[in-house]
């Protein structure tokens, strides 16, 4: 079909469009309008139950999070396996698409208005005369306790805790049918066939004597009080190596810290050694010791300028890679936002310069070899960004510090006199032995450091409860610890429990939870929360565990929080302890005669014609279309066979929030058409997986190329596009011209000629990929095309605050007109294919109609940007080396400097009240 706007005016097309427009519907709206009986019949006939199981557990909808079986008094959503058998399929459809239409009894929400103006919505869990406890509708893992006195008003909620438009997260109608088919299957199978997740139990606390042992290690008591009967576990936290500290730290900070450590760095484990001295002697001693330390090192400290470009990058890294697991989070000015049980950082800006902090962050084990500050595996660039972020308030003009050799000599004797070498032994020829100090098992717990009184002994600034647990531990020092106790002490001492849970102890707290992030939300909680250590010895092979703990091996690149490295001498013992302690019940494996046949069957099961493992799991570093779950080809190398068997049979019993569905609930296969018992099928998968990287590629790993073909009508696809995200709209026009429109930032993103798009990235798996253009694109810059001349939005990857997308209408040959607003300006943005009269080549014409009821001045419309833009002829502009712009309407574009980044071709204009502005121009390219 050929159109030329010399025969059809833009305004005429708009009139047709507005008179016969069709507003696009969401998936939920389309499904609600459909016949529910027909939907149910289709689900039973063509619904893919395996894909439905994957969708049910997938992170972006995660039905399993609310509908997993649990205690009757602590339900988030109904147990689907216990629904009344006489409930119709149509009822299930209504419950998914319109959950607030009929809320099931027992799951009604309550709305509470607090006296402070806050509004709470959730399911009532309990209430008494003093308080009300609800489960938050926005975060079902969170409970909220509200005191009666803080409540202004309370009334029944009208909305279900299940979102109304959750099905919009599905790709299309077929995926809804798949999900519905699986839900129907759960209901019909009943509770005996649906594997329940274990109930969450109360978190266990470490026994007081073990807490005391952790604190003894933290304070390095053994440095002065050696003991042959000290429990045989990895020992104390070592003090920083002073040779490094003296070289890289600010001497002025060192002097203040030695003089009064608990004031300079509250919460430090460095004891106050000079408290028994008068103020003058104390200050002179701290100064002399500082000069001695610096005399032993080539001090590198000097003030350095902060790189302001690094600061925001460091802010993102600090609050995501794992720093906040141990330390308090910080705002973008690096101001600490205190959280309980956070390890102190102190006055970093007066302690380090950029070079010193980067050196420390890149390899902290050089400075602190006991691993209490682990190696976060930062690149040099990442360490530099975090250092600039943390030190952004540093004084860059402080006066230099000069070494005094006489004071250094005095400081050497004072260093020894105050027994500093007991902890900081790297500055002396050999490690001194404690003199005149009782062994730990001989101590009198009410005296000295533990007395709480001042005296000629180290002052650790201990609280009463800390003294009490140390005293409890001292009474048990001669008793050997069990393997589980050794593990418990080690994981608490190294603070592994800040990220990992083991046997209901530790795990990510609700306050730190937001700082554990993922690059793929489809993975749910497992994509961002570190795995449990419960039973880890029964799960992982010893060699792989050693690879993870000691060699930094990782299989979860989607998890932003990194697994730190503590050093072999600090965690190597855990491998043997985990392996010896963690055991599973005996597993009976399926028997087989022909291994090659089993591997072929396992290959089929792994593919998208079987159990569709490749829908979620990576294969040989090739990411799946849905999510980058752990690589199939590493599983047999990592996992023990009996754990794999038992996990596959009931994944929720190992991890209640897993997105891994059960394909054999209650020992019965979801896919009845696949031959063999569950054990047979799992054995086949295992035999396939033991080939590792040599395993054959399952069907479905290589995405089949697809194409949306454009004929005599425009074709549209609203999905995720590279450079736009999920609010991309692709349009293919007759004649082989195409565009991608950004409905987030209201701009033309790209144009290209030839074939339209390959949608397989969003039509296969669970649709989390991108649509790909099937031609060489000409890309346009970010930021809205229409903006204010004087105060344009400083664009980023977000949504401009004054721009709002209003959808589109379809006109002749299904060409869309995009509608959006900027302030009071209403915009209708239309594209159409045109045939050049001279060259007979098809190009794109853009017609933009703008109006503002009360008028609006100071507007600009960006047409294109490039390094070079020039006037080629009257009303014709050359943009870079591949695009020309031809003005059709009467406006004259201007070529302006684009903030030092090339040139911008734009139209500047005002809109008078009740007036319309029409901008029409062509994009011409080969």
């Amino acid at each position: 079909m050929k159109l030329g706007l010399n025969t059809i005016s833009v305004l005429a097309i708009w009139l047709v469009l507005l008179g016969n427009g069709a507003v696009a519907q969401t998936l939920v709206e389309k499904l609600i309008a459909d016949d529910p009986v027909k939907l149910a019949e289709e689900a039973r006939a063509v619904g893919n139950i395996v894909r439905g199981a994957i969708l049910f557990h997938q992170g972006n909808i995660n039905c399993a999070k609310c509908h997993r079986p649990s205690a009757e008094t602590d339900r988030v959503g109904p147990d689907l396996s216990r629904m009344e058998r006489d409930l119709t399929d149509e009822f299930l459809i209504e419950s998914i698409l319109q959950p607030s239409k009929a809320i099931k009894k027992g799951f009604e929400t309550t709305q509470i208005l607090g006296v402070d103006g806050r509004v709470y919505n959730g399911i009532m869990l309990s209430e008494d005369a003093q308080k009300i406890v609800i489960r938050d509708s926005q975060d079902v893992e969170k409970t909220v306790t509200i005191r009666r006195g803080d409540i202004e008003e309370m009334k029944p909620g009208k909305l279900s805790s299940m979102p109304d438009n959750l099905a919009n997260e599905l790709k299309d109608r077929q995926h809804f049918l798949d999900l519905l088919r699986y839900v129907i299957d759960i209901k019909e199978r009943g509770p005996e066939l649906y594997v329940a997740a274990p109930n969450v139990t109360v978190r266990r606390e470490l026994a007081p004597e073990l807490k005391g042992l952790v604190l003894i290690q933290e304070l390095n008591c053994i440095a002065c009080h050696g003991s042959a009967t000290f429990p045989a576990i990895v020992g104390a936290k070592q003090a920083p190596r002073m040779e490094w500290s003296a070289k890289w730290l600010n001497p002025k900070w060192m002097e203040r810290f030695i003089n009064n450590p608990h004031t300079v760095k509250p919460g430090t484990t460095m004891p106050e050694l000079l408290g028994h001295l008068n103020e003058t002697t104390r200050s002179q001693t701290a100064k002399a010791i500082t000069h001695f330390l610096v005399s032993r090192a080539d001090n590198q400290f000097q003030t350095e300028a902060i790189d302001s470009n690094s600061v925001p990058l460091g802010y993102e890294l600090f609050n995501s890679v794992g720093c906040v697991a141990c330390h308090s989070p910080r705002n973008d000015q690096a101001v600490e936002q205190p959280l309980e049980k956070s390890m102190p950082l102190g006055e970093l800006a007066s302690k380090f310069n950029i070079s010193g902090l980067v050196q420390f962050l890149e390899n902290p084990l050089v400075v602190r070899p006991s691993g209490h500050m682990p190696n976060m595996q930062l690149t040099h660039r990442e360490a530099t960004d975090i250092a600039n972020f943390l030190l952004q308030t540093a004084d860059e003009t402080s006066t230099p510090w000069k070494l005094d050799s006489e004071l250094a000599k005095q400081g050497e004797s004072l260093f020894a006199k105050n027994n500093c070498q007991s902890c900081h032994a790297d500055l002396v020829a050999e490690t001194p032995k404690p003199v005149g100090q009782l062994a730990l098992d001989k101590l009198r717990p009410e005296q000295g450091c533990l007395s709480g009184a001042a005296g000629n002994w180290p002052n650790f600034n201990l609280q009463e409860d800390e003294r009490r647990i140390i005293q409890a531990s001292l009474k048990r020092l001669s008793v050997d610890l069990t393997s589980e106790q050794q593990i418990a002490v080690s994981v608490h001492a190294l603070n592994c429990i800040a990220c990992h849970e083991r046997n209901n102890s530790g795990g990510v707290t609700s306050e730190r939870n937001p700082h554990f992030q993922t690059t793929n939300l489809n993975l749910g909680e497992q994509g961002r929360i570190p795995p449990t250590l419960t039973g880890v010895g029964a799960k992982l092979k010893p060699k792989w565990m050693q690879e993870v703990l000691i060699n930094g091996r990782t299989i979860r690149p989607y998890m932003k929080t990194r697994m730190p490295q503590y050093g072999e001498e600090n965690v190597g013992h855990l491998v043997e302890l985990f392996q010896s302690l963690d055991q599973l019940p005996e597993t009976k494996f399926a028997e087989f005669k022909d291994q090659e046949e089993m591997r072929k069957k396992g290959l089929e099961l792994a593919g998208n014609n079987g159990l569709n493992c490749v829908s979620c799991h990576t294969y040989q570093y090739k990411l799946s279309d849905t999510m980058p779950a752990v690589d199939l080809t590493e599983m047999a190398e990592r996992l023990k066979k009996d754990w794999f068997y038992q996990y596959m049979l009931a994944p929720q019993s190992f991890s209640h929030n897993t997105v891994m569905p059960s394909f054999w609930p209650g020992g019965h296969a979801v896919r009845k058409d696949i031959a063999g018992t569950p054990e047979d099928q799992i054995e086949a998968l295992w035999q396939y997986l033991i080939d590792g990287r040599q395993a054959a590629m399952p069907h479905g790993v290589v995405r089949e190329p697809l194409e949306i073909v454009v004929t005599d009508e425009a074709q549209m696809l609203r999905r995720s596009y590279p450079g736009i995200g999920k609010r991309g709209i692709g349009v293919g026009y007759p004649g082989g011209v195409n565009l991608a429109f950004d409905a987030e930032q209201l701009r033309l993103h790209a144009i290209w000629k030839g074939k339209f798009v390959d949608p397989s990235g969003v039509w296969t798996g669970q649709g989390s990929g991108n649509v790909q253009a099937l031609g060489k694109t000409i890309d346009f810059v970010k930021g809205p095309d229409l903006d204010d001349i004087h105060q344009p939005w400083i664009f980023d990857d977000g949504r401009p605050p004054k721009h709002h997308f209003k959808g589109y209408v379809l006109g002749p040959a299904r060409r869309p007109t995009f509608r959006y607003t900027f302030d009071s300006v209403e915009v209708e943005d239309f594209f159409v294919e045109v045939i050049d009269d001279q060259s007979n080549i098809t190009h794109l014409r853009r017609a933009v109609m703008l109006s503002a009821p009360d008028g609006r001045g100071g507007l600009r419309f960006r047409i294109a940007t490039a390094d070079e833009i020039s006037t080629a002829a009257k009303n014709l502009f050359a943009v870079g080396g591949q695009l020309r712009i031809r003005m059709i309407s009467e406006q004259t574009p201007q070529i302006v400097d684009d903030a030092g980044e090339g040139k911008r071709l734009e139209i500047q204009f005002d809109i008078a009240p009740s007036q319309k502005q029409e901008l029409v121009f062509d994009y011409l390219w080969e």
Side-chain angles (χ1 to χ4, degrees):
M1 180 178 182
K2 296 184 178 180
L3 278 179
L5 287 191
N6 54 341
T7 57
I8 300 178
S9 73
V10 175
L11 186 57
I13 289 177
W14 269 326
L15 291 174
V16 173
L17 292 175
L18 296 176
N20 300 285
V23 179
Q25 286 184 304
T26 66
L27 177 60
V28 168
E29 289 169 340
K30 292 177 181 177
L31 292 169
I32 290 174
D34 213 332
D35 181 356
V37 175
K38 179 182 175 182
L39 280 175
E41 289 174 350
E42 282 191 69
R44 287 183 176 273
V46 300
N48 186 316
I49 196 168
V50 168
R51 191 160 55 199
I54 294 171
L55 289 165
F56 188 84
H57 294 82
Q58 185 177 305
N60 62 338
I61 55 175
N62 203 358
C63 311
K65 186 174 184 178
C66 296
H67 293 289
R68 59 178 181 256
S70 58
E72 292 291 338
T73 58
D74 194 24
R75 294 270 175 96
V76 180
D79 179 351
L80 300 179
S81 68
R82 297 178 184 272
M83 301 284 280
E84 294 86 343
R85 295 298 179 91
D86 58 352
L87 287 180
T88 64
D89 295 348
E90 294 75 31
F91 174 83
L92 294 178
I93 293 171
E94 181 182 275
S95 298
I96 296 172
L97 298 177
Q98 299 172 284
S100 298
K101 188 173 180 179
I103 302 174
K104 192 169 177 61
K105 185 173 177 58
F107 299 97
E108 303 91 343
T109 58
T110 298
Q111 186 178 81
I112 298 174
L113 172 64
V115 294
D116 58 358
R118 294 179 62 185
V119 178
Y120 305 89
N121 288 283
I123 296 175
M124 183 81 72
L125 294 180
S126 66
E127 62 177 322
D128 55 33
Q130 287 75 41
K131 66 183 182 302
I132 290 173
V133 181
I134 63 172
R135 186 173 295 281
D136 193 341
S137 293
Q138 301 300 313
D139 182 359
V140 297
E141 299 288 349
K142 178 182 177 183
T143 60
V144 180
T145 302
I146 310 159
R147 293 191 308 122
R148 290 276 186 184
D150 294 334
I151 296 175
E152 178 75 22
E153 181 183 359
M154 183 170 68
K155 60 183 180 181
K158 296 181 180 180
L159 297 178
S160 167
S161 58
M162 178 174 168
D164 283 327
N165 297 309
L166 194 59
N168 281 336
E169 295 293 328
L170 300 171
K171 186 190 76 175
D172 54 21
R173 176 192 177 92
Q174 181 59 51
H175 274 199
F176 176 77
L177 297 176
D178 298 336
L179 178 62
L180 178 59
R181 180 68 189 88
Y182 182 66
V183 172
I184 290 172
D185 187 70
I186 293 175
K187 187 199 76 166
E188 292 184 345
R189 285 173 178 266
E192 71 278 5
L193 297 181
Y194 189 65
V195 179
N199 292 329
V200 177
T201 56
V202 177
R203 293 290 183 189
R204 291 195 309 165
E205 288 288 330
L206 204 60
E209 63 271 15
L210 295 182
K211 281 186 179 180
L213 185 53
V214 171
L215 189 52
I216 287 171
Q217 291 183 306
E218 182 78 9
L219 301 176
N220 198 15
C221 302
I222 199 171
C224 292
H225 304 285
S227 174
T229 59
F230 195 78
I233 61 175
V234 172
K237 171 184 175 182
Q238 299 174 43
R241 287 176 172 161
M242 289 310 303
E243 187 174 3
W244 188 96
S245 300
K247 179 177 181 178
W248 290 105
L249 301 187
N250 186 346
K252 295 178 181 178
W253 179 90
M254 291 170 61
E255 182 178 333
R256 291 193 301 113
F257 183 68
I258 293 169
N259 186 22
N260 198 333
H262 299 300
T263 297
V264 174
K265 186 180 179 182
T268 181
T269 57
M270 162 81 175
E272 180 185 79
L273 296 174
L274 310 179
H276 61 288
L277 303 175
N278 62 52
E279 186 173 346
T280 301
T281 305
R282 177 176 179 157
S283 298
Q284 291 173 342
T285 300
K287 186 174 185 178
I289 290 175
T290 301
H291 280 263
F292 160 65
L293 296 175
V294 174
S295 71
R296 292 297 182 95
D298 176 21
N299 189 266
Q300 302 290 307
F301 187 87
Q302 54 183 328
T303 56
E304 295 174 343
I306 301 298
D307 180 358
S308 59
N309 293 324
S310 277
V311 170
L313 300 173
Y315 166 70
E316 292 295 331
L317 285 165
F318 181 85
N319 286 290
S320 64
V321 297
C323 305
V324 179
C326 295
H327 305 292
S328 288
R330 297 183 172 228
N331 65 16
D332 56 0
Q333 278 86 47
V335 176
E336 194 172 47
Q337 312 297 298
L339 284 182
E340 287 187 7
K341 298 183 179 179
S342 292
M343 297 183 181
L345 288 177
E347 303 172 6
L348 292 176
S350 61
K351 177 180 181 180
F352 286 101
N353 59 12
I354 298 293
S355 297
L357 187 51
V358 169
Q359 286 274 340
F360 177 72
L361 291 173
E362 285 188 298
N363 196 353
L365 296 177
V366 169
V367 190
R368 299 171 181 254
S370 55
H372 288 253
M373 169 61 192
N375 186 336
M376 297 302 297
Q377 305 192 72
L378 300 171
T379 65
H380 178 73
R381 181 70 259 172
E382 290 172 334
T384 301
D385 290 339
I386 291 177
N388 277 279
F389 162 65
L390 292 173
L391 304 183
Q392 60 182 284
T393 59
D395 182 3
E396 300 174 13
T397 61
S398 61
T399 56
W401 185 92
K402 293 183 180 180
L403 177 66
D404 186 322
S405 56
E406 288 300 317
L407 275 176
K409 291 179 181 178
Q410 297 175 29
E412 182 173 10
S413 62
L414 290 169
F415 186 85
K417 180 180 178 181
N418 287 280
N419 204 24
C420 303
Q421 67 270 28
S422 289
C423 292
H424 300 286
D426 59 308
L427 288 180
V428 295
E430 60 181 62
T431 305
K433 294 182 179 180
V435 178
Q437 303 286 359
L438 293 173
L440 280 171
D441 54 328
K442 305 296 184 183
L443 286 179
R444 295 180 289 276
E446 294 77 20
Q447 297 185 9
C449 303
L450 296 177
S451 66
N456 187 18
W457 47 73
N459 174 17
F460 289 95
N461 198 30
L462 296 174
Q463 302 301 308
E464 177 59 35
D465 61 329
E466 292 175 318
R467 288 197 294 271
R468 188 165 55 250
I469 62 174
I470 290 177
Q471 291 164 354
S473 183
L474 290 174
K475 296 176 181 178
R476 295 176 54 93
L477 281 179
S478 60
V479 179
D480 290 335
L481 298 182
T482 66
S483 295
E484 188 59 62
Q485 287 175 325
Q486 291 181 53
I487 290 173
V489 170
S490 291
V491 298
H492 279 76
L494 295 173
N495 205 28
C496 308
I497 59 164
C499 297
H500 301 279
E501 174 270 344
R502 180 171 170 87
N503 296 338
N504 297 317
S505 178
V508 176
T509 63
S510 59
E511 295 81 9
R512 299 184 196 274
N513 190 288
H515 298 281
F516 288 78
Q517 300 170 15
T518 179
T519 60
N520 194 305
L521 295 175
N522 280 347
L523 286 160
E525 296 290 275
Q526 283 192 317
R528 62 186 193 87
I529 303 298
T532 180
L533 296 181
T534 301
V536 68
K539 173 183 178 180
L540 298 180
K541 292 179 177 178
K543 184 178 179 181
W544 186 270
M545 186 178 287
Q546 185 167 339
E547 285 287 312
V548 173
L549 287 176
I550 298 168
N551 298 329
R553 189 76 177 267
T554 179
I555 60 164
R556 295 179 174 87
Y558 46 79
M559 193 175 284
K560 290 188 177 182
T561 302
R562 299 175 187 176
M563 171 64 188
Q565 293 301 289
Y566 293 90
E568 182 174 6
E569 61 277 17
N570 301 311
V571 294
H573 68 291
L574 288 173
V575 175
E576 184 178 346
L577 286 171
F578 282 133
Q579 292 293 321
S580 64
L581 188 63
D582 294 342
Q583 303 292 329
L584 286 175
E586 184 178 354
T587 304
K588 184 177 181 180
F589 305 123
E591 297 179 357
F592 60 91
K593 294 180 180 180
D594 190 332
Q595 186 182 46
E596 190 59 33
E597 282 301 313
M598 290 295 280
R599 288 181 177 177
K600 288 180 181 179
K601 184 174 181 179
L603 173 63
E604 181 183 356
L605 287 167
N608 59 8
N609 293 324
L611 297 179
N612 207 7
C613 306
V614 295
S615 175
C616 301
H617 288 280
T618 301
Y619 169 83
Q620 290 191 359
Y621 304 118
K622 295 180 180 68
L623 300 184
S624 75
D625 291 319
T626 307
M627 59 185 81
V630 291
D631 199 311
L632 287 170
T633 55
E634 291 181 326
M635 285 188 180
E637 181 185 357
R638 294 172 48 237
L639 304 175
K640 293 180 178 179
K641 184 177 179 180
D642 53 352
W643 187 92
F644 176 80
Y645 249 66
Q646 296 189 31
Y647 179 82
M648 292 296 287
L649 284 170
Q652 283 76 33
S653 66
F654 286 82
S655 176
H656 74 275
N657 62 0
T658 182
V659 298
M660 171 76 180
S662 173
F663 295 116
W664 304 277
H668 296 260
V670 168
R671 283 282 299 270
K672 300 180 181 67
D673 57 322
I674 299 178
T677 66
E679 290 76 16
D680 290 335
Q681 294 178 16
I682 296 171
E683 182 66 45
L685 280 170
W686 182 258
Q687 292 302 320
Y688 162 71
L689 293 173
I690 59 177
D691 273 350
R693 303 214 179 281
Q694 282 67 52
M697 182 183 296
H699 192 272
V701 171
V702 176
R703 194 173 66 211
E704 298 293 335
L706 300 175
E707 179 190 351
I708 294 180
V709 178
V710 181
T711 55
D712 58 349
E713 288 189 337
Q715 296 290 330
M716 290 183 60
L717 183 60
R718 291 192 66 176
R719 293 306 293 243
S720 180
Y721 287 74
I724 301 178
K726 293 185 177 180
R727 300 198 78 193
I729 305 176
V731 188
Y733 294 86
V737 288
N738 315 279
L739 65 83
F741 187 81
D742 184 349
E744 180 84 354
Q745 296 194 346
L746 290 310
R747 67 186 179 102
L748 178 64
H749 168 69
I751 55 177
W752 68 96
K753 288 190 175 181
K755 295 180 178 180
F756 181 30
V757 292
D758 173 4
S760 55
V762 296
W763 281 6
T764 57
Q766 313 312 324
S768 60
N770 287 318
V771 178
Q772 298 295 332
L774 290 175
K776 183 180 179 182
T777 62
I778 296 176
D779 298 323
F780 298 87
V781 298
K782 290 189 174 183
D785 289 339
L786 175 66
D787 214 333
D788 190 282
I789 296 174
H790 308 292
Q791 294 182 315
W793 180 55
I794 307 302
F795 64 83
D796 51 29
D797 290 328
R799 181 180 303 178
K802 296 182 180 180
H803 293 72
H804 301 283
F805 186 57
K806 299 297 184 180
Y808 55 85
V809 292
L810 300 177
R814 298 186 63 81
R815 298 180 190 88
T817 295
F818 302 114
R819 293 169 155 180
Y820 50 94
T821 61
F822 166 60
D823 274 352
S824 60
V825 181
E826 297 179 355
V827 185
E828 293 172 339
D829 202 344
F830 174 70
F831 296 81
V832 66
E833 74 282 3
V834 296
I835 307 297
D836 186 79
D837 292 334
Q838 296 180 355
S839 65
N840 203 37
I841 296 175
T842 306
H843 298 297
L844 269 176
R845 176 163 293 178
R846 187 176 190 179
V848 187
M849 184 72 79
L850 308 104
S851 62
D854 299 322
R856 178 64 157 84
L859 296 170
R860 77 175 193 201
F861 194 92
R862 180 188 64 196
I863 301 176
T865 60
D867 292 336
E868 289 295 333
I869 300 178
S870 60
T871 303
K874 184 179 180 181
N875 296 329
L876 186 66
F877 301 87
V879 179
Q882 54 183 338
L883 180 65
R884 290 176 300 153
I885 301 292
R886 180 170 59 201
M887 284 302 302
I888 304 299
S889 57
E890 62 184 10
Q891 296 86 356
T892 301
Q894 299 184 34
I895 302 173
V896 298
D897 288 328
D898 191 18
E901 297 184 3
K903 305 290 184 181
R904 183 173 66 248
L905 182 66
E906 65 179 33
I907 299 171
Q908 299 181 0
F909 61 98
D910 299 329
I911 302 178
S914 303
Q915 179 194 33
K916 290 188 176 182
Q917 279 275 2
E918 183 180 16
L919 314 177
V920 185
F921 49 89
D922 289 346
Y923 298 96
L924 312 173
W925 81 105
E926 297 300 328

